[in-house]
Amino acid sequence: MLILGIESSCDETGLALYDTEKGLISQALHSQVDLHADYGGVVPELASRDHVRKITPLTRLVLNEANKSLSDLAGIAYTAGPGLMGALLVGASFAKSLAWSLNIPSIGVHHMEAHLLAPLIEPSNAPELPFMALLVSGGHTQLVHVKALGDYEILGESLDDAAGEAFDKTAKLLGLGYPGGPKIAAKAESGDPTRFKFPRPMTDRPGLDFSFSGLKTFALNTVHNNSPLSEQDKADIALAFELAAVDTLSIKCKRAIDQTKVKHLVIAGGVSANTRLREKLSSDLKAQVIYAPLELCTDNGAMIAYAGALRLQAGQSSDLGITTKARWPMDQLDAI
Ligand code: KG4
Ligand code: ZN
């Protein structure tokens, strides 16, 4: 069964073809980073318009690269939420109308579920069920107990900023640009770990929730107290922030694993690309840490195609109505 996957929830247009026998056979990604860079963050209307421009040529590209045609498709999966409403609507209307014209099913996929499943695209990487998942992206920070496909219990989440959002805001504060995660990580390479000590929010009390806005405020105050910043100051602050964010995530993961006794932790979402996070979790935890290849950590069409394929194989599909959800809790996963 050949499935076309379409990701358009934010600032990346991602297309991919997933074959249920052969695996991932082609993928293409257009990043809008340059388009939004001048604004220091994603401009929703610009994002939607760019998805409109890229979605058709990228569909052609993935089909040509795999030597396939539209008539080979058995289903189309698209991101139905959560995300920017206009951007989601571009992918959803394209997917639905194409599926309707080909007389094949379409399936709306939850973006965070797709992130969660991305490390499983490569079968040799598959964890044992049940497992723990740490979802860390620009919009979400969640600890999810995965009991089966579609059976997710959220054990903890951020009460304010997401981890990726804190990276992005701190990078902006330091004048490092957008997206902040990779910029902070690169700058932190030359930082002095003894210079600043940032707090580890909410680790001094029980529970699995997170709070990252205090870390951002701490960064703001540190910047004010040391302005004007030299390049070394920026590197020292970037490193102190990164160490605090990574440590906080690791402490909560350790708690979640002790509590549930699962043997595997899957880390997914853009922040799971962070090398320091990967290393820290692998050294601190008893559980085996599993993550996707770098290109499948941040937004992409492959994870949508894969999650859609699993749901189509399970007999689910969406109706013809175009339903997208800007907000969509992951423990309320009715197919849409
Ligand atoms: O999953 P994603 O591509 O998009 C959302 O669904 O939000 O995640 C994007 C987030 C951004 O906040 C970005 O700064 C962060 O992931 N990110 C990183 C790294 N690469 C991307 N954060 C820390 N370290 C990285 N290497
Ligand atoms: Zn994402």
Side-chain angles (χ1 to χ4, degrees):
M1 190 162 80
L2 187 66
I3 308 299
L4 174 69
I6 304 174
E7 156 61 27
S8 74
S9 67
C10 189
D11 58 347
E12 248 113 26
T13 320
L15 273 293
L17 287 176
Y18 181 81
D19 184 312
T20 48
E21 266 142 49
K22 298 186 188 125
L24 191 61
I25 58 170
S26 69
Q27 57 171 325
L29 188 76
H30 171 73
S31 166
Q32 302 178 352
V33 163
D34 294 343
L35 182 70
H36 302 291
D38 287 348
Y39 304 93
V42 180
V43 183
E45 184 57 27
L46 293 182
S48 312
R49 287 167 191 241
D50 202 54
H51 287 306
V52 171
R53 275 192 290 272
K54 295 296 176 341
I55 203 161
T56 309
L58 289 185
T59 302
R60 286 210 181 95
L61 189 68
V62 290
L63 286 168
N64 288 344
E65 275 192 356
N67 221 359
K68 299 282 181 193
S69 64
L70 286 173
S71 58
D72 294 317
L73 295 178
I76 302 182
Y78 60 94
T79 307
L84 301 171
M85 191 48 100
L88 290 168
L89 280 170
V90 175
S93 18
F94 181 82
K96 294 267 179 178
S97 36
L98 187 57
W100 180 77
S101 72
L102 297 170
N103 200 20
I104 56 173
S106 67
I107 180 92
V109 168
H110 190 288
H111 181 84
M112 296 312 294
E113 182 186 34
H115 269 306
L116 185 161
L117 297 171
L120 284 59
I121 294 180
E122 181 51 59
S124 61
N125 214 12
E128 233 174 68
L129 280 163
F131 62 85
M132 189 61 56
L134 172 70
L135 300 181
V136 269
S137 72
H140 291 79
T141 308
Q142 292 181 323
L143 269 166
V144 185
H145 192 189
V146 178
K147 297 167 186 174
L149 175 69
D151 186 359
Y152 308 125
E153 185 187 358
I154 297 172
L155 300 182
E157 59 191 328
S158 181
L159 306 177
D160 41 54
D161 292 355
E165 193 178 354
F167 269 93
D168 293 336
K169 287 179 176 169
T170 304
K172 198 171 178 183
L173 212 62
L174 295 175
L176 299 179
Y178 154 89
K183 306 264 185 193
I184 293 262
K187 196 72 187 168
E189 286 293 312
S190 49
D192 170 2
T194 60
R195 174 114 180 262
F196 300 110
K197 170 98 175 153
F198 277 41
R200 273 64 175 155
M202 292 185 69
T203 53
D204 56 351
R205 65 191 93 160
L208 295 172
D209 286 334
F210 303 89
S211 165
F212 286 104
S213 73
L215 217 48
K216 176 193 64 191
T217 312
F218 199 89
L220 180 68
N221 292 337
T222 313
V223 167
H224 280 164
N225 295 339
N226 292 277
S227 285
L229 297 182
S230 67
E231 288 307 309
Q232 190 58 49
D233 293 333
K234 290 185 187 179
D236 296 344
I237 295 172
L239 179 58
F241 167 83
E242 192 184 32
L243 288 172
V246 163
D247 215 20
T248 305
L249 291 168
S250 175
I251 291 168
K252 298 285 167 138
C253 285
K254 190 165 182 309
R255 266 186 212 171
I257 284 167
D258 289 346
Q259 194 174 307
T260 53
K261 312 267 185 292
V262 295
K263 296 200 187 76
H264 293 103
L265 172 77
V266 165
I267 53 171
V271 184
S272 71
N274 187 280
T275 314
R276 212 177 286 275
L277 177 66
R278 292 175 168 198
E279 286 170 359
K280 176 85 179 150
L281 292 172
S282 300
S283 74
D284 280 8
L285 303 181
K286 283 193 207 121
Q288 188 193 339
V289 180
I290 296 171
Y291 37 76
L294 270 184
E295 72 275 14
L296 298 183
C297 288
T298 45
D299 292 350
N300 63 83
M303 66 182 191
I304 305 300
Y306 178 68
L310 294 184
R311 288 196 172 265
L312 288 167
Q313 276 181 317
Q316 300 177 11
S317 63
S318 306
D319 61 23
L320 262 185
I322 294 172
T323 313
T324 49
K325 295 187 182 184
R327 287 174 185 276
W328 188 7
M330 214 178 60
D331 44 10
Q332 295 168 22
L333 274 189
D334 311 327
I336 62 171

